Amino acid sequence: MVRAAILPAVGSPLEIAEIELPEPGPGQVRVRLAAAGVCHSDLSLSNGTMRVPVPAVLGHEGAGTVVSVGEGVGHVAPGDGVVLNWAPSCGNCHHCGLGEVWLCANALAGVGNVHARTVEGTELHPGLNVAAFAEETVVAANCVLPVPEGIPLAEAALLGCAVLTGYGAVHHSARVRSGESVAVFGAGGVGLAALQSARIAGAGPVVAVDVSPAKEELARAAGATEFLIASDTTAKEIRKLTGGQGVDVAVECVGRAATIRTAWESTRRGGRTTVVGIGGKDQQVTFNALEIFHFGRTLSGCVYGNSDPARDLPVLAEHVRAGRLDLGSMVTERIALDGIPAAFDNMLAGKGGRALVLFES
């Protein structure tokens, strides 16, 4: 029996309860969580923007220690620190064959599995494969990667989503080059990672945009050279900061139609706009044919930072060890499991960076 945060139905409040977690079967790993980040994607699952089978144990950004392994698991052993990988690639589908593992057709094949049961016997699914909002979880072996040497276990949780996504958006999707100007829309967990990644890339100026004035200190600490409060004049203000041209790269981390449109308008002629935020189907973005031709901008979506966790985790770890990437500075709240509902409320209100659930050892 372990405690977990359960989503009983779409739109329902999370419930903190004990669940019956099975021992790992063949090809599975049981992990005792050290920490789990509270990501906006978890909120999107709870409100139905992203759909998975329910009831479910949410949480997908986590790290912990291997408790036991099932038959056939050889790359990790009990006692190893691991980062959870919520979107493991199958290696066999069309996109994996193209090397686009972040688009793997089977990455979420496990969400329909029975993960655990409530004490009453109700079947529970793993929200995004790994069910990290729990004291312990059982996952497929390809959902765990060894924690790189020298990375604190609790902070390693952030590598599983926020940092891979923000770093990848800058380095893989937008391919920011030294000296290019960058605007990042949204200074939550992913946005703060994108700001740090833009600084690592040698970008400048780096403009952070957020609805909350309280985010300025966080954004500047992450690498922003300018900070703007989101408004109807944001695009005009960004052009003013860049000699009337607009930024070379805009990274949208919010997932709202108005923000995507503003990011596009803030991008210079011939520049790149990368959309990381996950919006609902009701968020319709419109462009006219003439502006698409005239501005010659590139607008692209970005899934999981276009990252390959196995390839990128060692790179990120080297940035952390060298002091270029500060994981701890992204965390603005350290909470217990029962603090997740309040963390959801803070995300809705646009408050803070990353909330990190810390589990007792």
Side-chain angles (χ1 to χ4, degrees):
M1 301 291 292
V2 300
R3 295 176 73 240
I6 300 169
L7 177 68
V10 172
S12 297
L14 291 184
E15 299 175 355
I16 310 300
E18 288 193 333
I19 64 172
E20 296 181 358
L21 191 66
E23 290 302 314
Q28 292 185 320
V29 178
R30 184 169 181 136
V31 178
R32 179 180 298 113
L33 273 295
V38 183
C39 179
H40 205 281
S41 295
D42 298 308
L43 184 61
S44 296
L45 291 173
S46 71
N47 64 24
T49 299
M50 297 169 62
R51 291 198 173 273
V52 293
V54 291
V57 178
L58 298 187
H60 63 282
E61 180 183 271
T65 303
V66 175
V67 176
S68 56
V69 301
E71 182 182 351
V73 177
H75 72 295
V76 294
D80 288 350
V82 292
V83 177
L84 298 181
N85 175 15
W86 63 270
S89 56
C90 70
N92 298 314
C93 71
H94 176 72
H95 288 288
C96 285
L98 295 174
E100 299 170 345
V101 297
W102 54 91
L103 297 178
C104 175
N106 301 306
L108 296 181
V111 299
N113 295 342
V114 176
H115 171 73
R117 286 177 169 80
T118 66
V119 293
E120 295 82 15
T122 302
E123 293 181 344
L124 300 171
H125 303 285
L128 281 179
N129 279 326
V130 296
F133 287 167
E135 294 168 331
E136 295 188 11
T137 187
V138 173
V139 300
N142 61 355
C143 286
V144 296
L145 293 166
V147 171
E149 184 179 352
I151 308 301
L153 191 56
E155 293 183 359
L158 303 177
L159 297 175
C161 184
V163 179
L164 275 171
T165 301
Y167 178 88
V170 169
H171 288 268
H172 301 323
S173 179
R175 299 185 179 183
V176 174
R177 299 181 291 268
S178 179
E180 288 192 311
S181 54
V182 174
V184 176
F185 291 78
V190 172
L192 291 172
L195 287 168
Q196 291 203 56
S197 300
R199 174 174 46 75
I200 290 170
V206 177
V207 185
V209 182
D210 200 275
V211 296
S212 171
K215 296 282 189 75
E216 181 170 1
E217 185 177 349
L218 274 173
R220 289 189 181 276
T225 60
E226 309 289 341
F227 182 84
L228 299 175
I229 304 299
S231 71
D232 293 341
T233 62
T234 295
K236 183 177 180 180
E237 293 177 68
I238 288 176
R239 286 194 295 272
K240 185 177 179 180
L241 290 170
T242 53
Q245 298 302 311
V247 289
D248 296 301
V249 172
V251 181
E252 199 276 352
C253 302
V254 180
R256 293 180 58 85
T259 315
I260 294 170
R261 180 71 211 191
T262 300
W264 163 267
E265 293 174 356
S266 302
T267 306
R268 70 165 174 84
R269 196 175 184 191
R272 289 105 66 200
T273 306
T274 292
V275 178
V276 182
I278 301 173
K281 293 180 179 179
D282 61 326
Q283 297 291 315
Q284 298 292 316
V285 189
T286 59
F287 307 90
N288 67 59
L290 181 59
E291 69 176 314
I292 291 175
F293 158 77
H294 174 74
F295 288 108
R297 297 167 178 146
T298 300
L299 176 68
S300 61
C302 177
V303 177
Y304 203 6
N306 293 10
S307 294
D308 178 350
R311 174 198 65 195
D312 293 331
L313 279 182
V315 176
L316 293 172
E318 182 54 35
H319 285 309
V320 173
R321 289 191 291 263
R324 293 183 292 267
L325 180 61
D326 185 352
L327 299 177
S329 67
M330 297 167 53
V331 180
T332 54
E333 191 177 15
R334 290 168 173 81
I335 61 176
L337 191 64
D338 56 10
I340 296 174
F344 275 17
D345 291 339
N346 286 338
M347 280 193 293
L348 282 170
K351 296 179 180 178
R354 203 42 138 214
L356 190 65
V357 181
L358 296 177
F359 297 89
E360 295 182 3
S361 58

